[in-house]
Amino acid sequence: MKKIALLMVGIMLVVAVSVAEQNKGAEDMELFGGKQGNIPFPHHIHQKALKDCKICHDVFSQAPGSIEKLKAEGKMRKKQVMNKQCIACHKGKKKAKEKTGPTSCSKCHKKS
Ligand code: HEC
Ligand code: HEC
Ligand code: HEC
């Protein structure tokens, strides 16, 4: 019994610590967009709207610059995240008449 109780406390501690210490990353960021210009990305708005980190982070890791790193290593095509994630989701939500984000080049890419 004592062992089970200790194990339970242990598990609860691990869960509490991992919830408290989850690194949500920057609230807003700017992604590299090549010649078209960089893309301001409201990260926390997406976390709130989508709830699930895995929707994006199954494809690239929770580290700054992970998309460009995968592209440089040839593990990801250019514009893959843009087309398969950003635009695909925004279009789907638009079709479903839900809150959504931009779908045209100049609404995402900002030329400076
Ligand atoms: C709609 C897509 C999307 C969702 C959902 C999302 N992220 Fe991110 N996240 C990104 C992008 C894009 C980057 C930047 C990657 C890069 O720099 O190449 C990023 C980067 C990060 C980073 C590293 C950058 C930094 O500022 O430290 C962390 C940490 C992170 N995300 C945590 C999370 C967590 C935790 C969740 C869920 C609560 C989440 N993200 C949900 C898109 C998303
Ligand atoms: C919803 C936002 C969004 C829209 C709309 C969008 N883009 Fe992008 N674009 C991105 C993101 C994010 C990246 C960086 C990630 C990637 O390469 O997938 C990117 C990357 C790019 C790149 C650079 C790829 C590289 O690695 O050099 C080009 C060029 C580009 N987009 C052109 C366009 C054009 C042209 C349009 C309109 C037809 C467009 N984008 C529409 C978000 C968007
Ligand atoms: C799985 C769905 C999904 C993905 C993937 C996604 N978005 Fe969005 N995006 C949304 C939704 C939903 C909203 C509307 C959020 C709101 O208004 O609360 C939004 C809103 C936005 C906005 C407008 C925010 C504002 O202030 O009105 C921008 C800019 C944007 N997204 C850029 C991007 C870029 C760039 C990517 C890819 C790196 C991306 N999104 C990936 C669902 C998604």
Side-chain angles (χ1 to χ4, degrees), residues 3-95:
K3 262 189 192 159
I4 292 173
L6 271 176
L7 190 67
M8 297 280 288
V9 169
I11 290 169
M12 275 151 67
L13 269 173
V14 168
V15 170
V17 166
S18 56
V19 167
E21 285 187 354
Q22 186 187 38
N23 176 6
K24 299 213 159 196
E27 179 168 357
D28 296 299
M29 43 181 82
E30 190 172 292
L31 304 174
F32 172 77
K35 277 184 288 191
Q36 201 68 28
N38 287 349
I39 307 105
F41 175 65
H43 191 219
H44 287 190
I45 286 178
H46 284 84
Q47 292 180 359
K48 236 174 125 189
L50 304 173
K51 309 284 189 286
D52 187 2
C53 312
K54 289 199 205 115
I55 293 175
C56 293
H57 290 297
D58 261 358
V59 180
F60 52 89
S61 68
Q62 292 181 13
S66 58
I67 297 173
E68 289 313 308
K69 191 163 176 272
L70 289 170
K71 287 200 270 187
E73 290 167 353
K75 290 178 185 155
M76 182 185 267
R77 278 170 288 112
K78 289 179 175 184
K79 302 200 263 186
Q80 183 175 326
V81 168
M82 163 181 139
N83 287 318
K84 298 265 154 82
Q85 294 188 266
C86 318
I87 296 178
C89 178
H90 290 174
K91 278 192 174 154
K93 300 258 180 207
K94 196 175 174 186
K95 222 174 162 187

Coordinates of all heavy atoms in Angstrom, one line a residue, residues 3-95:
K3 N 3.9 1.6 -0.9 CA 4.6 1.8 -2.2 C 3.7 2.4 -3.2 O 4.1 3.2 -4.0 CB 5.1 0.4 -2.6 CG 6.5 0.1 -2.3 CD 7.0 -1.1 -2.9 CE 8.3 -1.6 -2.3 NZ 8.6 -3.0 -2.6
I4 N 2.4 1.9 -3.3 CA 1.5 2.4 -4.3 C 1.2 3.9 -4.0 O 1.2 4.7 -5.0 CB 0.2 1.6 -4.3 CG1 0.5 0.1 -4.8 CG2 -0.9 2.2 -5.1 CD1 -0.6 -0.8 -4.7
A5 N 1.0 4.2 -2.8 CA 0.8 5.6 -2.4 C 1.9 6.5 -2.9 O 1.7 7.6 -3.5 CB 0.5 5.8 -0.9
L6 N 3.1 6.1 -2.6 CA 4.3 6.8 -3.0 C 4.4 7.0 -4.5 O 4.7 8.0 -5.0 CB 5.6 6.1 -2.5 CG 6.0 6.5 -1.1 CD1 7.2 5.7 -0.7 CD2 6.4 8.0 -1.0
L7 N 4.1 5.9 -5.2 CA 4.1 5.9 -6.7 C 3.1 6.9 -7.2 O 3.4 7.7 -8.1 CB 3.8 4.5 -7.2 CG 4.0 4.2 -8.7 CD1 5.5 4.3 -9.0 CD2 3.4 2.9 -9.1
M8 N 1.9 6.9 -6.6 CA 0.9 7.9 -7.0 C 1.4 9.3 -6.8 O 1.2 10.1 -7.7 CB -0.4 7.7 -6.2 CG -1.0 6.3 -6.4 SD -2.0 6.3 -7.9 CE -3.4 7.3 -7.4
V9 N 2.0 9.6 -5.7 CA 2.5 10.9 -5.4 C 3.5 11.3 -6.5 O 3.5 12.4 -7.0 CB 3.1 11.0 -4.0 CG1 3.8 12.4 -3.8 CG2 2.0 10.9 -2.9
G10 N 4.4 10.3 -6.7 CA 5.4 10.5 -7.7 C 4.8 10.9 -9.1 O 5.2 11.9 -9.7
I11 N 3.8 10.1 -9.5 CA 3.2 10.4 -10.8 C 2.6 11.8 -10.9 O 2.7 12.5 -11.8 CB 2.2 9.3 -11.2 CG1 2.9 8.0 -11.5 CG2 1.3 9.7 -12.4 CD1 2.0 6.8 -11.6
M12 N 1.9 12.1 -9.7 CA 1.2 13.4 -9.7 C 2.2 14.5 -9.8 O 2.0 15.5 -10.4 CB 0.4 13.5 -8.4 CG -1.0 12.9 -8.6 SD -1.7 12.3 -7.0 CE -1.9 13.8 -6.1
L13 N 3.4 14.4 -9.1 CA 4.4 15.4 -9.2 C 4.9 15.6 -10.6 O 5.1 16.7 -11.1 CB 5.6 15.0 -8.3 CG 5.5 15.5 -6.8 CD1 6.6 15.0 -6.0 CD2 5.5 17.1 -6.8
V14 N 5.2 14.5 -11.3 CA 5.7 14.5 -12.6 C 4.7 15.3 -13.5 O 5.1 16.1 -14.3 CB 6.0 13.1 -13.2 CG1 6.2 13.1 -14.7 CG2 7.2 12.5 -12.5
V15 N 3.4 14.9 -13.4 CA 2.4 15.6 -14.2 C 2.3 17.1 -13.9 O 2.3 17.9 -14.8 CB 1.0 14.9 -14.0 CG1 -0.1 15.7 -14.6 CG2 1.0 13.5 -14.5
A16 N 2.3 17.4 -12.6 CA 2.2 18.8 -12.2 C 3.4 19.6 -12.8 O 3.2 20.7 -13.4 CB 2.2 18.9 -10.7
V17 N 4.6 19.0 -12.7 CA 5.8 19.8 -13.1 C 5.8 19.9 -14.6 O 6.0 21.0 -15.1 CB 7.1 19.0 -12.7 CG1 8.3 19.5 -13.4 CG2 7.3 19.2 -11.2
S18 N 5.4 18.9 -15.4 CA 5.4 19.0 -16.8 C 4.3 20.0 -17.3 O 4.5 20.7 -18.3 CB 5.2 17.7 -17.5 OG 4.1 17.0 -17.1
V19 N 3.2 20.1 -16.6 CA 2.2 21.1 -17.0 C 2.7 22.5 -16.7 O 2.6 23.4 -17.6 CB 0.8 20.8 -16.3 CG1 -0.1 22.0 -16.5 CG2 0.2 19.6 -16.8
A20 N 3.3 22.7 -15.6 CA 3.7 24.0 -15.2 C 4.9 24.5 -16.0 O 5.0 25.6 -16.3 CB 4.2 24.0 -13.7
E21 N 5.7 23.5 -16.5 CA 6.9 23.9 -17.2 C 6.8 23.9 -18.7 O 7.8 24.1 -19.4 CB 8.1 23.1 -16.7 CG 8.6 23.5 -15.3 CD 9.8 22.8 -14.9 OE1 10.3 22.0 -15.6 OE2 10.3 23.2 -13.8
Q22 N 5.6 23.6 -19.2 CA 5.5 23.5 -20.6 C 5.9 24.8 -21.2 O 5.4 25.9 -20.9 CB 4.1 23.2 -21.1 CG 4.0 23.0 -22.6 CD 2.5 22.8 -23.0 OE1 1.6 23.5 -22.5 NE2 2.3 21.9 -24.0
N23 N 6.9 24.8 -22.1 CA 7.4 26.0 -22.8 C 6.5 26.4 -24.0 O 6.6 25.6 -25.0 CB 8.9 25.8 -23.2 CG 9.4 27.0 -23.9 OD1 8.8 28.0 -24.0 ND2 10.6 26.8 -24.4
K24 N 5.8 27.4 -23.9 CA 4.8 27.8 -24.9 C 5.5 28.6 -26.1 O 4.9 28.9 -27.1 CB 3.7 28.5 -24.4 CG 2.9 27.7 -23.4 CD 1.4 28.0 -23.4 CE 0.6 26.9 -22.8 NZ -0.8 26.9 -23.1
G25 N 6.8 28.9 -25.9 CA 7.5 29.7 -26.9 C 7.0 31.1 -27.0 O 6.2 31.5 -26.2
A26 N 7.5 31.8 -28.0 CA 7.2 33.2 -28.1 C 5.8 33.4 -28.5 O 5.1 32.6 -29.1 CB 8.1 33.8 -29.2
E27 N 5.2 34.5 -28.0 CA 3.8 34.9 -28.3 C 3.6 35.2 -29.8 O 2.7 34.7 -30.4 CB 3.4 36.1 -27.4 CG 2.0 36.5 -27.7 CD 1.5 37.5 -26.7 OE1 2.2 37.9 -25.7 OE2 0.3 38.0 -26.8
D28 N 4.6 36.0 -30.3 CA 4.5 36.3 -31.7 C 5.9 36.1 -32.3 O 6.9 36.2 -31.6 CB 4.2 37.8 -31.9 CG 2.8 38.1 -31.4 OD1 1.8 37.5 -32.0 OD2 2.6 38.9 -30.5
M29 N 6.0 35.7 -33.5 CA 7.3 35.4 -34.2 C 7.2 35.8 -35.6 O 6.2 36.1 -36.2 CB 7.7 34.0 -34.0 CG 6.7 33.0 -34.2 SD 7.3 31.3 -34.0 CE 7.2 31.1 -32.2
E30 N 8.4 35.9 -36.2 CA 8.5 36.2 -37.6 C 9.2 35.0 -38.3 O 10.3 34.7 -38.0 CB 9.3 37.5 -37.8 CG 9.2 38.0 -39.3 CD 9.8 39.4 -39.4 OE1 9.3 40.3 -38.9 OE2 10.9 39.5 -40.1
L31 N 8.5 34.4 -39.3 CA 9.1 33.3 -40.0 C 9.7 33.7 -41.3 O 9.3 34.7 -41.9 CB 7.9 32.3 -40.3 CG 7.1 31.8 -39.1 CD1 6.0 30.9 -39.5 CD2 8.0 31.0 -38.1
F32 N 10.8 33.0 -41.7 CA 11.5 33.3 -42.9 C 10.6 33.0 -44.1 O 10.1 31.9 -44.3 CB 12.8 32.5 -43.0 CG 13.5 32.6 -44.3 CD1 14.2 33.8 -44.6 CD2 13.4 31.6 -45.3 CE1 14.8 33.9 -45.9 CE2 14.1 31.7 -46.5 CZ 14.8 32.9 -46.8
G33 N 10.5 34.0 -45.0 CA 9.6 33.8 -46.2 C 10.3 34.1 -47.5 O 9.6 34.2 -48.5
G34 N 11.6 34.1 -47.6 CA 12.3 34.2 -48.8 C 12.0 35.6 -49.5 O 11.8 36.6 -48.9
K35 N 12.1 35.5 -50.8 CA 11.9 36.7 -51.6 C 10.5 37.4 -51.4 O 10.4 38.6 -51.6 CB 12.0 36.4 -53.1 CG 13.5 36.3 -53.6 CD 13.6 36.1 -55.1 CE 13.2 34.7 -55.4 NZ 13.5 34.2 -56.7
Q36 N 9.6 36.6 -51.0 CA 8.2 37.1 -50.9 C 8.1 38.0 -49.6 O 7.1 38.7 -49.4 CB 7.3 35.9 -50.7 CG 5.8 36.2 -51.1 CD 5.6 36.5 -52.5 OE1 6.3 36.1 -53.4 NE2 4.6 37.3 -52.8
G37 N 9.1 37.9 -48.8 CA 9.1 38.7 -47.5 C 8.7 37.8 -46.3 O 8.1 36.8 -46.5
N38 N 9.2 38.2 -45.1 CA 8.9 37.3 -44.0 C 7.4 37.4 -43.5 O 6.7 38.2 -44.0 CB 9.8 37.8 -42.8 CG 11.3 37.4 -43.0 OD1 11.5 36.6 -43.9 ND2 12.2 37.9 -42.2
I39 N 7.1 36.4 -42.6 CA 5.7 36.2 -42.2 C 5.6 36.5 -40.7 O 6.1 35.7 -39.9 CB 5.2 34.8 -42.6 CG1 5.5 34.5 -44.0 CG2 3.8 34.6 -42.2 CD1 6.7 33.5 -44.3
P40 N 4.8 37.5 -40.3 CA 4.6 37.6 -38.9 C 3.6 36.5 -38.5 O 2.6 36.2 -39.2 CB 3.9 39.0 -38.8 CG 4.0 39.6 -40.1 CD 4.2 38.6 -41.1
F41 N 3.9 35.8 -37.4 CA 3.1 34.6 -37.0 C 2.7 34.8 -35.6 O 3.5 34.7 -34.7 CB 3.9 33.3 -37.2 CG 3.2 32.1 -36.8 CD1 2.0 31.7 -37.3 CD2 3.7 31.4 -35.7 CE1 1.3 30.5 -36.9 CE2 3.0 30.2 -35.2 CZ 1.8 29.8 -35.8
P42 N 1.4 34.9 -35.3 CA 0.9 35.0 -34.0 C 0.7 33.6 -33.3 O -0.3 33.0 -33.5 CB -0.5 35.7 -34.1 CG -1.0 35.4 -35.5 CD 0.3 35.1 -36.3
H43 N 1.7 33.2 -32.7 CA 1.9 31.8 -32.1 C 0.8 31.5 -31.1 O 0.1 30.5 -31.1 CB 3.3 31.7 -31.6 CG 3.7 30.3 -31.2 ND1 4.5 30.1 -30.1 CD2 3.6 29.1 -31.8 CE1 4.8 28.8 -30.0 NE2 4.2 28.2 -31.0
H44 N 0.7 32.4 -30.1 CA -0.2 32.1 -29.0 C -1.7 32.2 -29.4 O -2.5 31.5 -28.8 CB 0.1 33.0 -27.8 CG 1.4 32.6 -27.0 ND1 1.7 33.1 -25.8 CD2 2.3 31.7 -27.4 CE1 2.9 32.6 -25.5 NE2 3.3 31.8 -26.4
I45 N -2.0 33.0 -30.4 CA -3.4 33.1 -30.9 C -3.7 31.7 -31.4 O -4.8 31.1 -31.2 CB -3.6 34.1 -32.0 CG1 -3.6 35.5 -31.4 CG2 -4.8 33.9 -32.8 CD1 -3.7 36.7 -32.4
H46 N -2.8 31.0 -32.1 CA -3.0 29.7 -32.7 C -3.1 28.7 -31.5 O -3.9 27.7 -31.6 CB -1.9 29.3 -33.6 CG -2.0 30.0 -35.0 ND1 -1.6 31.3 -35.2 CD2 -2.6 29.6 -36.1 CE1 -1.9 31.6 -36.5 NE2 -2.5 30.6 -37.0
Q47 N -2.3 28.8 -30.5 CA -2.3 27.8 -29.4 C -3.7 27.9 -28.8 O -4.3 26.8 -28.4 CB -1.3 28.1 -28.4 CG 0.1 27.9 -28.9 CD 1.2 28.2 -27.9 OE1 0.9 28.6 -26.8 NE2 2.5 28.0 -28.3
K48 N -4.3 29.1 -28.6 CA -5.6 29.2 -28.0 C -6.7 28.7 -28.9 O -7.6 28.0 -28.5 CB -5.8 30.7 -27.7 CG -6.1 31.0 -26.3 CD -6.2 32.5 -26.0 CE -7.5 32.9 -25.4 NZ -7.6 34.4 -25.3
A49 N -6.6 29.0 -30.2 CA -7.6 28.7 -31.1 C -7.6 27.2 -31.4 O -8.7 26.6 -31.6 CB -7.5 29.4 -32.4
L50 N -6.4 26.5 -31.5 CA -6.4 25.1 -31.9 C -6.2 24.1 -30.8 O -6.4 23.0 -31.0 CB -5.2 25.0 -32.9 CG -5.2 25.9 -34.1 CD1 -4.0 25.8 -34.9 CD2 -6.4 25.6 -35.0
K51 N -5.8 24.6 -29.6 CA -5.6 23.8 -28.4 C -4.4 22.8 -28.5 O -3.6 22.6 -27.6 CB -6.9 23.0 -28.0 CG -8.1 23.9 -27.9 CD -8.1 24.7 -26.6 CE -9.5 25.4 -26.4 NZ -9.7 26.6 -27.3
D52 N -4.3 22.1 -29.6 CA -3.4 21.0 -29.8 C -2.1 21.4 -30.4 O -2.0 21.8 -31.6 CB -4.0 19.9 -30.6 CG -3.2 18.6 -30.6 OD1 -2.2 18.6 -30.0 OD2 -3.7 17.7 -31.3
C53 N -1.0 21.3 -29.7 CA 0.4 21.6 -30.2 C 0.8 20.7 -31.4 O 1.5 21.2 -32.3 CB 1.4 21.5 -29.1 SG 1.0 22.2 -27.5
K54 N 0.3 19.5 -31.3 CA 0.8 18.5 -32.3 C 0.3 18.8 -33.7 O 1.0 18.4 -34.7 CB 0.2 17.1 -31.9 CG 0.9 16.5 -30.7 CD 0.6 15.0 -30.7 CE 0.7 14.5 -29.2 NZ -0.6 13.9 -28.8
I55 N -0.8 19.6 -33.9 CA -1.2 19.9 -35.2 C -0.1 20.5 -36.0 O 0.1 20.2 -37.2 CB -2.4 20.9 -35.1 CG1 -3.6 20.3 -34.5 CG2 -2.7 21.5 -36.5 CD1 -4.8 21.2 -34.3
C56 N 0.7 21.3 -35.4 CA 1.9 21.9 -36.1 C 3.2 21.1 -35.7 O 4.0 20.8 -36.6 CB 2.1 23.3 -35.8 SG 0.8 24.4 -36.4
H57 N 3.4 20.8 -34.4 CA 4.7 20.3 -34.0 C 4.9 18.8 -34.2 O 5.9 18.3 -33.9 CB 4.9 20.7 -32.6 CG 5.2 22.2 -32.5 ND1 6.2 22.8 -33.1 CD2 4.4 23.2 -31.9 CE1 6.2 24.1 -32.8 NE2 5.1 24.4 -32.1
D58 N 3.9 18.1 -34.8 CA 4.2 16.8 -35.3 C 5.1 16.9 -36.6 O 5.8 15.9 -36.9 CB 2.9 16.1 -35.7 CG 2.4 15.1 -34.6 OD1 3.2 15.0 -33.6 OD2 1.4 14.5 -34.8
V59 N 5.0 18.0 -37.2 CA 5.7 18.2 -38.5 C 7.1 18.9 -38.3 O 8.1 18.5 -39.0 CB 4.9 19.0 -39.5 CG1 5.6 19.2 -40.8 CG2 3.5 18.4 -39.7
F60 N 7.2 19.8 -37.3 CA 8.5 20.4 -37.0 C 8.6 20.6 -35.5 O 7.5 20.8 -34.9 CB 8.7 21.8 -37.8 CG 7.6 22.7 -37.6 CD1 7.5 23.6 -36.6 CD2 6.5 22.7 -38.5 CE1 6.5 24.5 -36.5 CE2 5.4 23.6 -38.4 CZ 5.4 24.5 -37.4
S61 N 9.8 20.5 -34.9 CA 9.9 20.5 -33.5 C 9.7 21.8 -32.8 O 9.7 22.9 -33.5 CB 11.3 20.0 -33.1 OG 12.3 20.9 -33.5
Q62 N 9.5 21.8 -31.5 CA 9.3 23.1 -30.7 C 10.7 23.7 -30.4 O 11.1 23.8 -29.3 CB 8.6 22.7 -29.4 CG 7.1 22.3 -29.7 CD 6.4 22.0 -28.4 OE1 6.8 22.3 -27.3 NE2 5.2 21.4 -28.5
A63 N 11.3 24.1 -31.5 CA 12.6 24.8 -31.3 C 12.7 26.0 -32.3 O 12.2 25.8 -33.4 CB 13.8 23.8 -31.6
P64 N 13.2 27.1 -31.9 CA 13.3 28.2 -32.9 C 14.1 27.8 -34.1 O 15.1 27.1 -34.0 CB 14.1 29.3 -32.1 CG 14.2 28.8 -30.7 CD 14.0 27.4 -30.7
G65 N 13.6 28.2 -35.3 CA 14.3 27.9 -36.5 C 14.2 26.4 -37.0 O 14.8 26.0 -38.0
S66 N 13.3 25.6 -36.4 CA 13.2 24.2 -36.8 C 12.7 24.0 -38.3 O 13.2 23.1 -38.9 CB 12.3 23.5 -35.8 OG 11.0 24.0 -35.8
I67 N 11.9 24.9 -38.8 CA 11.4 24.8 -40.1 C 12.6 25.0 -41.1 O 12.8 24.1 -42.0 CB 10.3 25.8 -40.5 CG1 9.0 25.5 -39.6 CG2 9.9 25.7 -41.9 CD1 7.9 26.5 -39.7
E68 N 13.3 26.1 -40.9 CA 14.4 26.3 -41.8 C 15.5 25.3 -41.7 O 16.2 24.9 -42.7 CB 15.0 27.7 -41.5 CG 14.1 28.9 -42.0 CD 13.5 28.7 -43.4 OE1 14.3 28.5 -44.3 OE2 12.3 28.8 -43.5
K69 N 15.7 24.7 -40.6 CA 16.7 23.6 -40.4 C 16.3 22.4 -41.2 O 17.1 21.8 -41.9 CB 16.8 23.3 -38.9 CG 17.9 22.4 -38.5 CD 18.2 22.4 -37.0 CE 19.3 21.4 -36.7 NZ 18.8 20.1 -36.4
L70 N 15.0 22.0 -41.1 CA 14.5 20.8 -41.9 C 14.6 21.1 -43.4 O 15.0 20.2 -44.2 CB 13.1 20.5 -41.5 CG 12.8 19.9 -40.2 CD1 11.3 19.9 -39.8 CD2 13.4 18.5 -40.0
K71 N 14.4 22.3 -43.8 CA 14.5 22.7 -45.3 C 15.9 22.6 -45.7 O 16.3 22.0 -46.7 CB 13.9 24.1 -45.5 CG 12.4 24.1 -45.5 CD 11.8 25.4 -46.2 CE 11.7 26.6 -45.4 NZ 11.0 27.7 -46.0
A72 N 16.9 23.1 -44.9 CA 18.3 23.1 -45.2 C 18.8 21.7 -45.2 O 19.7 21.4 -46.1 CB 19.1 23.9 -44.2
E73 N 18.3 20.8 -44.4 CA 18.7 19.4 -44.4 C 18.1 18.6 -45.5 O 18.3 17.3 -45.6 CB 18.4 18.7 -43.0 CG 19.2 19.3 -41.9 CD 18.7 18.9 -40.5 OE1 17.6 18.3 -40.4 OE2 19.4 19.2 -39.5
G74 N 17.2 19.2 -46.3 CA 16.5 18.5 -47.3 C 15.4 17.5 -46.8 O 14.9 16.7 -47.5
K75 N 15.0 17.7 -45.6 CA 13.9 16.8 -45.0 C 12.6 17.4 -45.1 O 11.6 16.8 -44.8 CB 14.2 16.6 -43.5 CG 15.5 15.7 -43.3 CD 15.7 15.5 -41.8 CE 17.0 14.8 -41.6 NZ 17.6 15.1 -40.3
M76 N 12.5 18.7 -45.7 CA 11.2 19.3 -45.9 C 11.4 20.2 -47.1 O 12.4 20.8 -47.3 CB 10.9 20.2 -44.6 CG 9.6 20.8 -44.7 SD 9.4 21.9 -43.3 CE 8.5 20.8 -42.2
R77 N 10.3 20.2 -47.9 CA 10.4 21.1 -49.1 C 10.0 22.5 -48.8 O 9.3 22.8 -47.8 CB 9.3 20.5 -50.2 CG 9.9 19.4 -51.0 CD 8.8 18.7 -51.8 NE 7.9 18.0 -51.0 CZ 6.6 18.3 -50.8 NH1 6.1 19.4 -51.3 NH2 5.8 17.6 -50.0
K78 N 10.5 23.4 -49.6 CA 10.2 24.8 -49.4 C 8.7 25.0 -49.6 O 8.1 24.3 -50.4 CB 10.9 25.7 -50.5 CG 12.4 25.8 -50.3 CD 13.0 26.7 -51.4 CE 14.5 26.9 -51.1 NZ 15.1 27.8 -52.0
K79 N 8.1 25.8 -48.9 CA 6.6 26.1 -48.9 C 5.7 25.0 -48.5 O 4.5 25.0 -48.7 CB 6.2 26.6 -50.3 CG 7.0 27.8 -50.8 CD 6.2 28.5 -52.0 CE 6.8 28.1 -53.3 NZ 6.2 28.9 -54.4
Q80 N 6.3 23.9 -47.9 CA 5.5 22.8 -47.5 C 4.7 23.1 -46.3 O 3.5 22.8 -46.3 CB 6.5 21.6 -47.1 CG 5.8 20.3 -46.7 CD 6.7 19.2 -46.5 OE1 7.8 19.1 -47.1 NE2 6.4 18.3 -45.5
V81 N 5.3 23.8 -45.3 CA 4.5 24.2 -44.1 C 3.4 25.2 -44.6 O 2.3 25.1 -44.2 CB 5.4 24.8 -43.0 CG1 4.6 25.5 -41.9 CG2 6.3 23.7 -42.4
M82 N 3.8 26.1 -45.4 CA 2.9 27.1 -45.9 C 1.7 26.5 -46.6 O 0.5 26.8 -46.2 CB 3.7 28.0 -46.9 CG 2.8 28.8 -47.8 SD 3.9 29.7 -49.0 CE 2.9 29.5 -50.5
N83 N 1.9 25.6 -47.5 CA 0.8 25.0 -48.3 C 0.0 23.9 -47.5 O -1.2 23.9 -47.4 CB 1.3 24.4 -49.6 CG 1.7 25.4 -50.6 OD1 1.0 26.4 -50.7 ND2 2.8 25.3 -51.3
K84 N 0.8 23.0 -46.9 CA 0.1 21.8 -46.2 C -0.5 22.2 -44.9 O -1.3 21.5 -44.3 CB 1.1 20.7 -46.1 CG 1.6 20.2 -47.4 CD 0.8 19.0 -47.9 CE 0.8 18.8 -49.4 NZ 1.9 18.1 -50.0
Q85 N 0.1 23.2 -44.2 CA -0.4 23.5 -42.9 C -1.2 24.9 -42.9 O -2.4 24.9 -42.8 CB 0.7 23.5 -41.9 CG 1.2 22.1 -41.7 CD 2.2 21.9 -40.6 OE1 3.4 22.0 -40.8 NE2 1.8 21.7 -39.4
C86 N -0.4 26.0 -43.0 CA -1.0 27.3 -42.9 C -2.2 27.5 -43.8 O -3.3 27.7 -43.4 CB 0.0 28.4 -43.2 SG 1.7 28.2 -42.5
I87 N -2.0 27.4 -45.1 CA -3.0 27.7 -46.1 C -4.1 26.6 -46.1 O -5.3 27.0 -46.1 CB -2.4 27.9 -47.5 CG1 -1.5 29.1 -47.5 CG2 -3.6 28.1 -48.5 CD1 -0.8 29.4 -48.9
A88 N -3.7 25.4 -46.0 CA -4.7 24.3 -46.0 C -5.7 24.5 -44.8 O -6.9 24.4 -45.0 CB -4.0 22.9 -45.9
C89 N -5.2 24.8 -43.7 CA -6.1 24.9 -42.5 C -6.9 26.2 -42.7 O -8.1 26.1 -42.5 CB -5.3 25.0 -41.2 SG -6.4 25.3 -39.8
H90 N -6.3 27.3 -43.1 CA -7.1 28.5 -43.2 C -8.2 28.4 -44.2 O -9.4 28.8 -44.0 CB -6.2 29.7 -43.6 CG -5.3 30.1 -42.5 ND1 -4.3 31.1 -42.7 CD2 -5.2 29.8 -41.2 CE1 -3.6 31.3 -41.6 NE2 -4.1 30.5 -40.7
K91 N -7.9 27.7 -45.3 CA -9.0 27.5 -46.4 C -10.1 26.6 -45.8 O -11.3 26.9 -46.1 CB -8.3 26.8 -47.6 CG -7.7 27.8 -48.5 CD -7.3 27.2 -49.9 CE -6.8 28.2 -50.8 NZ -5.9 27.6 -51.9
G92 N -9.7 25.5 -45.1 CA -10.7 24.6 -44.6 C -11.6 25.3 -43.6 O -12.9 25.1 -43.7
K93 N -11.1 26.1 -42.8 CA -11.9 26.9 -41.8 C -12.8 27.9 -42.4 O -13.9 28.1 -42.0 CB -11.0 27.6 -40.8 CG -10.0 26.7 -40.0 CD -10.5 26.5 -38.6 CE -9.6 25.6 -37.8 NZ -10.3 24.8 -36.8
K94 N -12.3 28.5 -43.5 CA -13.0 29.5 -44.3 C -14.3 28.8 -44.9 O -15.4 29.3 -44.8 CB -12.2 30.1 -45.4 CG -12.7 31.3 -46.0 CD -11.7 31.9 -47.0 CE -12.2 33.1 -47.7 NZ -11.3 33.5 -48.8
K95 N -14.0 27.6 -45.4 CA -15.1 26.8 -46.1 C -16.2 26.4 -45.0 O -17.3 26.4 -45.3 CB -14.5 25.5 -46.7 CG -15.1 25.2 -48.1 CD -14.3 24.1 -48.7 CE -15.2 23.5 -49.8 NZ -14.5 22.2 -50.3

